[in-house]
Each structure stands twice: as structure tokens, then as C-alpha cells.
Amino acid sequence: MELNKFVGNKIRQFREEKGLSQETLAKRLNTTRQTISRYENGDRKANQDVLFELAKLFNQSVDAFFPPREKEVRDERLITIAAHLDDDVTDDELRDILAYIEMKKQLHRGK
């Protein structure tokens, strides 16, 4: 998906979650409803100042308007795995778990 459209979809999502109309959001940003519509449709780029104001208004980080990076997805998976491990997992057990994950990856990738 094109970045402008992704950002626009996030603007629409956050606006709707707040129960705001395009007109109301436009007034809060001192712009027009048409500009908000263009942002949401991906026809116009929201500059950094606009994104910063939207982030404050929607109580979101600026990063929330952008697709997650691959590294972040992997980090979330590791956090999920770590959260399911007991506190008393030994280093040897952890190495076995990681080796098992690597083996499963290799099997699924046909190696």
C-alpha cells in the first residue's frame, strides 16, 4: 500500500475512533474539510507539523501513523515468546527453545 494511503487510513481510523467529523477535525487543525478528505484518501501528504498536531489530538505517537518496520514485528514476537517463559528457565533451556524455533523455520522454508 502506498504510504500516503496508509497514513490517510490511520487519520480516518483515529478520527472515527474519537467520533469526530471531517469538518470538526478541520476546524481543530485550522484547515478545510476538503483538506482532511484529501489526507484520508491519500491524495495529499500530511506534513510533519500536521502529523504532530494529529498525534497530540488523537493521543497517539507520530509512529502510529506509519506502517510497522519489520524489526519491530520481530521484536514483538520475541517479547511475546519471552512473556510466556517461566522466570526459572535456564540458559540451556532457552538455547533449546531458540534452536527449536530455528529448526522449525528451516523446515517451513524447505531447507
Side-chain angles (χ1 to χ4, degrees):
M1 174 183 285
E2 182 183 326
L3 183 59
N4 286 349
K5 292 197 181 296
F6 186 93
V7 172
N9 285 337
K10 296 305 277 188
I11 293 171
R12 176 179 291 117
Q13 174 191 337
F14 295 142
R15 176 181 60 78
E16 290 175 349
E17 286 174 3
K18 285 280 191 186
L20 299 175
S21 67
Q22 287 182 338
E23 186 71 36
T24 301
L25 180 57
K27 286 178 184 174
R28 290 190 181 179
L29 294 177
N30 198 28
T31 190
T32 65
R33 186 205 58 78
Q34 291 83 0
T35 298
I36 300 300
S37 177
R38 289 182 186 121
Y39 289 151
E40 291 183 359
N41 290 325
D43 297 330
R44 181 174 179 168
K45 285 184 183 181
N47 68 34
Q48 64 190 20
D49 295 331
V50 170
L51 288 176
F52 184 75
E53 288 302 315
L54 288 168
K56 286 193 312 188
L57 179 71
F58 297 141
N59 196 29
Q60 297 286 335
S61 73
V62 173
D63 286 345
F65 292 91
F66 298 97
R69 294 182 295 255
E70 180 63 29
K71 183 178 183 323
E72 291 179 280
V73 171
R74 288 185 182 173
D75 288 348
E76 288 174 16
R77 289 182 193 159
L78 291 176
I79 291 168
T80 300
I81 290 169
H84 289 86
L85 296 176
D86 295 331
D87 290 337
D88 62 349
V89 172
T90 67
D91 288 344
D92 286 338
E93 291 169 331
L94 183 56
R95 276 193 293 276
D96 288 346
I97 292 167
L98 294 175
Y100 177 77
I101 291 170
E102 190 60 36
M103 178 194 70
K104 292 300 281 183
K105 284 174 26 185
Q106 297 298 325
L107 283 172
H108 285 283
R109 293 178 182 164
K111 293 183 180 178

